[in-house]
Amino acid sequence: MPYLLPVTVVTLIWTWLYQPDVGLGNELLGTLGLEPVGWLSDEAVAMWSVAALTVWWTVGFNFLLYLAALQSLPTAYDEAAALDGAGAWRRLWSVTLPQLRRTTVLVGMLQILASLKVFDQIYILTKGGPNGSTRPLLEYVYDVGFTGYRLGYASAVSYVFFALVIVVSLAQLRLFRQED
């Protein structure tokens, strides 16, 4: 369900959760007797906070991919392993998970590519702060090109970034083909 929400809505919800005085995160820590955390103001914690938001937001799509893959698995292997006396955990580790290898590689590839092009939630949540600790490359391109009016330089950085994404994609594709 969270994946259906626009990034702005998700980010505003998590901004409220991360509020230092009235946010749910620090309220929960307070009930446990712990000190409040600067979720978005502490350099050591800010990127972890963004990562938690992103994982929560995208886990639903990955779940759907795994659900579709699980529903398409043949049951014959699982039944044969059960007849041979394999328990539920052994069937999971030795039969089901190896059959999900392609889906796992696909999910990994999509997540790496998505993490390379992350921009919206970080820009809305922290604007790259504190002290640039959450600033992704795309925000740098945005700042240089549209705030600093250095469009040629921003374009060059974008081309280098595009080449990086292509290299990562081809490497993952090659890895994906080697596993087959």
Side-chain angles (χ1 to χ4, degrees):
M1 191 70 170
Y3 194 70
L4 298 175
L5 295 173
V7 65
T8 308
V9 173
V10 171
T11 305
L12 290 176
I13 291 169
W14 280 79
T15 301
W16 175 75
L17 293 174
Y18 287 149
Q19 287 297 313
D21 297 330
V22 295
L24 184 62
N26 281 336
E27 286 294 324
L28 290 175
L29 290 176
T31 60
L32 296 173
L34 300 172
E35 293 294 319
V37 174
W39 300 104
L40 302 176
S41 60
D42 185 0
E43 292 180 33
V45 180
M47 187 55 87
W48 290 104
S49 301
V50 171
L53 174 155
T54 305
V55 167
W56 179 83
W57 184 45
T58 60
V59 75
F61 179 70
N62 298 331
F63 176 78
L64 287 177
L65 290 175
Y66 275 113
L67 181 64
L70 281 169
Q71 289 176 342
S72 68
L73 292 181
T75 59
Y77 299 122
D78 194 52
E79 291 169 0
L83 287 174
D84 286 342
W89 285 106
R90 175 54 55 195
R91 289 194 315 266
L92 174 70
W93 287 104
S94 299
V95 178
T96 305
L97 290 179
Q99 292 182 75
L100 293 174
R101 182 175 296 129
R102 293 184 66 147
T103 304
T104 303
V105 169
L106 174 68
V107 166
M109 186 170 85
L110 290 174
Q111 290 304 307
I112 288 173
L113 291 175
S115 68
L116 284 174
K117 59 187 185 109
V118 66
F119 174 79
D120 298 345
Q121 60 263 39
I122 292 177
Y123 189 75
I124 296 169
L125 198 62
T126 65
K127 293 195 179 19
N131 294 326
S133 64
T134 62
R135 187 177 192 190
L137 183 62
L138 290 180
E139 188 172 338
Y140 174 73
V141 170
Y142 173 80
D143 287 341
V144 167
F146 295 107
T147 305
Y149 301 110
R150 296 176 56 201
L151 296 176
Y153 180 72
S155 177
V157 172
S158 296
Y159 275 110
V160 170
F161 177 69
F162 176 70
L164 174 71
V165 169
I166 293 296
V167 167
V168 169
S169 299
L170 291 175
Q172 287 181 330
L173 184 62
R174 185 173 182 176
L175 179 70
F176 183 65
R177 286 190 178 159
Q178 285 178 351
E179 288 187 2
D180 285 344

